[in-house]
C-alpha cells in the first residue's frame, strides 16, 4: 500500500525519465496548462478523477496511486528553506532583493493586502532575443485587501 | 559621516512617509521604470551621478548620501530567511510550491542553465477583472546555459 | 524624523503603559473591533486618516507618527520563529499539534484550497465556566479554492 | 513488530486514501467530535481500548497497532518549524501577525496567564456566505492564571 | 518614557550589582518566595501595585518603571534557543537527556496530559553533603489531562 | 548485526507497547529507581552485564542487544532542539522562563559554578491535591564550583 | 526503476571506489576537463547522450541510469549549509573572510553586477613549491552587469 | 575610546565613500596586493605599525584606530551563514555545487589533507573577452597533508 | 550606571588595545595563570574583590565595573553557534572531526561519564619545532562518572 | 556494493560491540596512536593499504570495505551543529567559553594566524588524582601565520 503522495511523485518522476516523457505533452493530454499540470504531477496540486486517470495511464501508475493524486497533498517542493539549486535560488534571490520593492509597489497601487498565491496562475515561455533568448514569466494573482472589522 | 547604505535607505523611507511621496512619481523624475527605481531607493541598486542627484533633491538628502547611492550596496532586503510579511511570504510560497515546476519547465524548454536574476526586469501592474482586480507581474530574465569545458 | 513603524509601535506601547489605557477603550473610540484595533496599534494593520488621528490623540503621538500609521507596515509581531512567550507558544503548539487535523478537515469539507488569513476576522471573549473561565476565540476566514488553469 | 506511532499513522493514512474513508464518518463511529478523532488518528491523541478497537476495524489495523493507539504519542504533526503547506502556513501567519494582539487582549481580560492548549477544544465548520463560503473555527481553552508563591 | 520591560529589567540588574542587593532580601521584603520574586524582577512575572512599589523602592526605580512591572511581560529569559551559559545549559541537557524518560514516567502515572508550567512552583535550596554540597530543586506542577470532546 | 543503540531502544519500546510492560516493574526487577532505569532503556545510560541481562529477559532481546546496552551511548533523546511534544516543551519553557532566575539563585547561594547533570538524580511522583493532583519532581545535583588556577 | 539522480551518483561513487577508477582518466575518455567531468559524475551537471554512454561504460551503469545522467539534476552537493568537511570548509571560510573583499574589488573594476557561476570554468592543479606544494585554482566567470530598465 | 575593530572598519568605509578613494590606490600606497589590503581595511587582517599609519593617513583615522588595526581581529565578513548579496552568493554557490568536485580532485592529486586558507593568496583581475569580459580569480593555497601519529 | 558585564568587557578590551597591555602581564599582577585571567577579563569568570581591584587599576575601570567583575556572568564568548573566526573554527573542527574519537577513548578508559569543563584547567604554550613552532595545549578536567540510583 | 564510508563505519562499530574489541588493541596492531586509529575507524582519516588490511582482519570486513577505508572520507563525526551528547558538549562548551581566551593568548604569543587542525596530534590519558582521577589531553598543532602578499 502506498503511504504518501511523495511515493507517487517519485514514481512519476522515475517513469518520466525512463520513458522520456515531456511535461508539455502530459499537459496537452490532460487539457490544462503545462504549469498547473507539472505542479500537480510533482505533488503540489489535487487532481480530479478524470485527470488522475490520464496521468495514471501516461506514467503507468497503480490504482492506489490514482487515489493519492486525488487527495490534497502536503505542499512544498523544496528540501531546504533556502534552496541550493542555482535555477531555483535565482527566484529566491528575486524575492530577497526585490521583495521590499514588490511590497511597496503593490501597496502603492492597491493599498494594504496581498497578491494571492492561491487564486493564481503562472505562464512560462521563451522570449526570442538576438542577444540571447529570455525566459518570460507572467504571474497573475488576485489582489486580496485586508479589511477592517 | 554616514557609514552604511542602510542609513540612506532609512532617510529615504522616512522622507517618503513624512512627505507623502509616490514611487511612481520618483520613477517619472528619474526617467526609469518604477520597479528599478524603487529597488534603487530601497538600497538594492547602484545609481549614477545624475540619478543620485535627482533622488537627493526629491528626498532632500545630504551630499554624503548621494555618494552612498553611487556605491554598490550589500544587497538583500528582507530581515529573515523566511519572510514574515504576508505579501512577501506569498512570493516565497510561490517559489516553494512551484519551485520544482519552474525548474522542470525551464529545463524542458531551454536545457540546463538558469534564468538570470541580474540581466532581468520586472513589471508590476493592475489587471482589471470583474471578479476582483488582479496583480499582474511580468518577469523577464536572460537564459544562461551551463556549458561544458 | 521617524524612520520606521516600529518606532511608532514603541511610542504607543510606552504611552499605553504610562497612562494605563485599555485596548477596549481605544477600539470603542476608533469604532472597530478590539482585535483589529489592537493589531493596528501594534503595527500590523494600516489605518486611514481619521483612524490615525483618533489613535494619535489617545496616545499623544507626533504628526509624523500619524503618517506612519497610514503607511502599510512590514508585518510580523514576534521576535523568533518559535515564540518563547508561554501564551503565544500555546497558539504555536495548537498549529503544531492540530495542524494536520485542521488541514484534513478543511479539505474534507471544502476540497483543496486555504482559509484566508487576509479576508479574516477574529473575536476573543471570556466564556464563563464553573470549572474555571475559558478563553473563547472565533476565527472566520474565507475559503479560497485552488483552481486549475 | 511496530516500533513507533508514526508507522500506525502511516497505516491509517494509507488505508484512508486507499478506501476513501471520511474523517467525519470515523468520528461518528467513535462517537466523538471529528476534530479530536482526526487528531487521534494522525498520532496526536491517546485512545482508550474501545476507541482503538473501532479505529482498528475501520482501517483494518493489526493488533500491535491497537496497542500503539493506546500509548501516549510524541506529539507534533509538522515536519518543519515554519510550515511549508499553504493552508497550515496561514495559521502560522495568524499566530505571527496577531500573536501580540492575542496576548494583549487575553491579558487585558484575564490578567497574566495562558489559554490552555490541553484543556482545549476546537470546532471547524462551514459558514455559508454569498460572497464565498467561510471557514469558521471556534477555539475554547481554559484560562490558567500564573500565581504568586 | 520607558518603552519596554527589558529596560526595567536592566535597571534592576544594574542597581542590584551597584548596591550589592541580594534576591533573598528582596523576596523577604516582597513577602513571597525568592524564586517567584527573582523571576518577577528579571521580567518574567507580573507584579501587583504593592509589590511593584516595594521593588521600586529597593531598586530606586522611576514611576514609569513601576507601571511596566504591572504590565504582563513578553516572557523568555534566554538569548539563544540552546543556552550557552554552562549552568543553564546543564538544565537544557537534563531536558534533552531525560526528556523522554520524564514523558514516559508522567504518562505511566497520570495518563496523557502535561505537567503545568503555569500552575507551577519551584524551590531551590542547598543540600548539605559530606562529599560536596548539592543543589536540591523541587518542581511542582499541576497535572492537566488531555480530554476527549 | 545491530549497528546502533537506537535499534535497541526501538526494540525495547516496541516490546513494551506490544506486551504492555510498565517502567516501574522493569525498575523493580533491575533494583534501581524508575527514573534511571527508564533513561537507560531509552538509550541514555550504560548498563552493567547483570542489568543488561535482566532487561534482555524482560524485553526478549537478542544477545547482540545486550552488548549494546553495555556500550556507552551517544546521548540526547529529543529529535529537535526545541521540543514539539507539549509535555516536554513545558520543561523547555521552564528553562526558558526561569533560566535566569535559577542561575541567579544558585549563584547567590553557592557562588560561580554549576549544578551537575552527571552527579545527578531525579525523582518524579504524584502529589495528591484536592484542586487536582500535581506532578512533584525533585532534582538533586552536586554543586561544582569554578576554581581559579 | 531508479527514482533520483542521487541513486546514480551513489552507483558511480561505489563503482569508483570498488574499481579504483581515477577522475582524470574518466575526463580523458569523456574528452572534457576533469573539473566539469567530476562535477557531472557527482550529480551537478547534465550530460548529453554520448557523454552519458561513456560514463555508463566506465562505471557499468544500467540503462535507466544513463537517462538520469541526461536529465537536469537538482544541484547542491553538500549536506549542510556550513560544510563540516575540513577541505570544503576552508573554501567556505575563504568566502566568509574574503567575501566583502571580493565584492569590493570586482565592483571597483567592473561596477555593479556579478561574476557568473554558470558561464564559469574552474581549473585545479598542483603548483610545485620548495616550501611545500600548493594547490592552484583558477576560476573564470563572465561578468554580468546589472542594468537599468 | 574605540571599543571594537568593527568601528574602525565603519570609519574606513564611510571615509572611502565620502572621499571617493579606490582600493587599488590604497594598496599601491601600502605596497601590497589590492586583495590583501582590502581585506585588511575591511577588518580581516592585522597590519603592522607602518601599514597602519599609511591607512590612518589615507582615511584620516584617529590614533586609537591605528592601534586597533594592529590588533588581531575576530574574522568573518558576512552577516549571515548563507550570504544574501548576489555577488557573494555566487561564490557560496560555487562551494555548494562544486564542493564535492574540488574535494575529489585535490585528494586525487595530493591525498588526504586540505588547501590552506591561511598560507593563501588571491588575485582578482579582468580577462578581456569579445563575448563579454570575465572575472579571473587565481587562488593559491599550500597543501597541508593529514599525517598519522 | 553600567547595566551588563559586556560593557565591562568592552571597556577592558578597549583599554587593552589603547594602552598596549599584555595578558601575560595582567596575569602576573593578578597572580594566576594567563588562561584563567584572560577568560575572566573577557567576561567568562568571576573575580574576588582583590582580583577585581587589580584589574580595575590596570585598565582604569570605574567602581561600578569592579562590582560587575565580582558578579557571576552569563557565559559564552562567541557570537554564533558555529564560529566564523578561523582560529576558533579550527577548535570547533577538532570537536567535530575528533568528537566521536574523544568520546570513545575516554569511555574506554573511564567508563560512562564526562570530562568536566568546570573542574578544569588549560595551559597554552609555544613548542619549539625546527619545522615550524607549534601551539601546545594541555587540558585537564576531572572525570565525573554517571552513577546509578 | 558498499556506497559510502558511513556503511563501513557502522560495520566497524557493530563488530566492535559484538566482539568486545578495544580501540587500544586495534591501535597496537596498526602500530599507531590510539587517537589516530580510532578517528580512522570512525570514518575521519584515510588508511593506507596495509593499515586497511589490518583493520579489515580485526573487524572481519569485506574487500569492498577495505577500499573505502583507503578513500578520503567526507569528514565530520557529529549529527548536529551543537552536540547533544554530554561528553562531547563539554568540549563544545570549552570552545564557547574559552574561545576568545584561546584566540587572545595564541595571538599574543604568535601573532595573527591559526593553530593547525591538520598538522595536529592529540593525546588522551588518565591523570591519577587523589581527589578523583582526571582526563589529561594534550593537543599539539603547528602554528600557521597569515602572511601579507
Amino acid at each position: 500500500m502506498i503511504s504518501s503522495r511523495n511515493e507517487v511523485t517519485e514514481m512519476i518522476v522515475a517513469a518520466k525519465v525512463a520513458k522520456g516523457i515531456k511535461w508539455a505533452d502530459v499537459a496537452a493530454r490532460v487539457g490544462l496548462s503545462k504549469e498547473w499540470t507539472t505542479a500537480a504531477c510533482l505533488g503540489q496540486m489535487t487532481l480530479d478523477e478524470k485527470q488522475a486517470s490520464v496521468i495514471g495511464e501516461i506514467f503507468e501508475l497503480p490504482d492506489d496511486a490514482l487515489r493519492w493524486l486525488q487527495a490534497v497533498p502536503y505542499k512544498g517542493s523544496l528540501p531546504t528553506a533556502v534552496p541550493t539549486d542555482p535555477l531555483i535560488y535565482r527566484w529566491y534571490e528575486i524575492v530577497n532583493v526585490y521583495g521590499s520593492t514588490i511590497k511597496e509597489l503593490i501597496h502603492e497601487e492597491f493599498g494594504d493586502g496581498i497578491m494571492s498565491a492561491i487564486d493564481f496562475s503562472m505562464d512560462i515561455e521563451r522570449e526570442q532575443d538576438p542577444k540571447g533568448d529570455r525566459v518570460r514569466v507572467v504571474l497573475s494573482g488576485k489582489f486580496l485587501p485586508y479589511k477592517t472589522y
Side-chain angles (χ1 to χ4, degrees), chain A:
Chain A
M1 206 154 30
I2 297 170
S3 67
S4 76
R5 176 74 178 262
N6 274 1
E7 289 178 41
V8 182
T9 302
E10 283 195 7
M11 283 175 193
I12 290 176
V13 170
K16 179 180 182 294
V17 169
K19 296 165 191 279
I21 297 165
K22 282 196 166 310
W23 295 118
D25 296 340
V26 177
R29 284 191 52 190
V30 174
L32 288 167
S33 68
K34 66 184 184 307
E35 287 77 12
W36 188 90
T37 309
T38 306
C41 289
L42 294 175
Q44 305 300 314
M45 299 289 155
T46 312
L47 292 90
D48 64 23
E49 200 177 342
K50 211 176 124 193
Q51 293 159 348
S53 108
V54 176
I55 297 293
E57 250 174 70
I58 297 173
F59 297 103
E60 297 181 18
L61 304 174
D63 276 14
D64 241 34
L66 301 203
R67 276 183 289 270
W68 272 102
L69 289 172
Q70 300 169 57
V72 183
Y74 188 93
K75 298 180 172 79
S77 70
L78 304 180
T80 49
V82 176
T84 61
D85 182 82
L87 184 137
I88 300 178
Y89 181 80
R90 295 309 181 276
W91 279 71
Y92 178 74
E93 182 178 306
I94 291 168
V95 176
N96 212 318
V97 171
Y98 286 95
S100 52
T101 296
I102 292 167
K103 182 173 169 63
E104 288 287 329
L105 292 176
I106 292 179
H107 292 327
E108 186 162 302
E109 178 65 33
F110 290 90
D112 198 355
I114 60 150
M115 168 181 159
S116 182
I118 308 295
D119 188 336
F120 169 84
S121 66
M122 178 169 52
D123 186 53
I124 299 175
E125 58 188 38
R126 179 186 289 264
E127 195 176 38
Q128 305 277 353
D129 189 312
K131 283 180 255 160
D133 284 6
R134 301 178 75 81
V135 185
R136 187 175 187 269
V137 182
V138 181
L139 308 173
S140 167
K142 190 174 178 183
F143 181 75
L144 303 178
Y146 271 100
K147 289 176 194 154
T148 56
Y149 55 87

